[in-house]
Amino acid sequence: MTVFDNPNLLNIIHSNFVFIGLNASEHAERKDGYTGSWRMFHSDDNERQRDYKLRYALVGTQYEGSYMTDIIKNHPDKNSREVEKFCKANPEVITENIEILKEELKILGGKPVLIAMGDTVYNYLTSSDIKEDYQIIKITHYSYRAKNKESLREEVLRTLR
């Protein structure tokens, strides 16, 4: 969580790129004792959470400091498979959440490149009218177990080039 202690943080964060996941992760307990509202992020000590691989992939690049959000908001289930099943049974949820995402992007301003993390998010975005206003690129989701942080970085940067 020391990222927030950086006095140059405002020079690092930007909205040129927006990384989009499917849904919010669950709040896991952390060995470092941090219990704040950002506790689901940056926990290298939790095997179930692999967002550290995305941080590793982006550090020192033009993508570091990008905005990150989820396409499905306020859904009680944190299991992505269950969220996908729910959305398949209730396609209006995708449409409603795309509209919320559009509003979120409007607040950010500009025309960021949307970076879909995983096939499901990419398919939701490219099947909607949001594709008419934004460039959309798909990358492998950071939680993909077959990728270690080094190979994920290599693949992500190759894809984003």
Side-chain angles (χ1 to χ4, degrees):
M1 298 312 299
T2 58
V3 67
F4 295 113
D5 296 334
N6 185 338
N8 294 317
L9 184 61
L10 293 178
N11 296 323
I12 297 170
I13 59 174
H14 60 86
S15 60
N16 299 330
F17 306 95
V18 175
F19 286 77
I20 304 174
L22 178 62
N23 59 301
S25 64
E26 57 186 308
H27 297 271
E29 286 196 32
R30 294 169 50 129
K31 292 178 187 171
D32 66 5
Y34 178 76
T35 59
S37 58
W38 295 90
R39 70 184 167 275
M40 78 284 280
F41 289 110
H42 311 302
S43 180
D44 293 3
D45 62 15
N46 188 324
E47 178 56 32
R48 292 181 51 214
Q49 296 173 320
R50 294 178 202 88
D51 62 300
Y52 70 91
K53 293 194 302 186
L54 181 62
R55 184 179 67 240
Y56 180 84
L58 305 180
V59 72
T61 72
Q62 65 180 331
Y63 310 105
E64 182 178 14
S66 294
Y67 185 72
M68 186 174 175
T69 191
D70 296 304
I71 196 166
I72 304 299
K73 315 256 190 241
N74 302 315
H75 188 77
D77 199 329
K78 303 304 180 194
N79 179 304
S80 61
R81 299 276 184 247
E82 294 302 317
V83 173
E84 287 178 50
K85 281 198 274 187
F86 178 80
C87 289
K88 189 171 185 173
N90 302 279
E92 72 280 0
V93 169
I94 300 165
T95 304
E96 291 165 5
N97 280 273
I98 291 284
E99 292 304 314
I100 294 169
L101 178 62
K102 286 180 189 176
E103 288 301 313
E104 191 174 358
L105 293 170
K106 198 181 297 183
I107 291 168
L108 282 175
K111 285 290 179 189
V113 174
L114 306 184
I115 301 173
M117 294 186 287
D119 292 330
T120 302
V121 174
Y122 182 77
N123 293 337
Y124 289 169
L125 291 172
T126 58
S127 297
S128 76
D129 64 349
I130 203 167
K131 69 179 182 274
E132 296 167 16
D133 296 318
Y134 296 92
Q135 179 184 0
I136 303 167
I137 299 172
K138 178 180 72 170
I139 63 169
T140 300
H141 194 280
Y142 58 81
S143 69
Y144 185 54
R145 290 181 187 264
K147 299 276 180 194
N148 62 32
K149 67 182 185 179
E150 291 81 10
S151 63
L152 181 74
R153 177 180 170 97
E154 198 175 291
E155 181 182 315
V156 165
L157 294 180
R158 184 176 53 247
T159 300
L160 294 177
R161 267 187 225 116

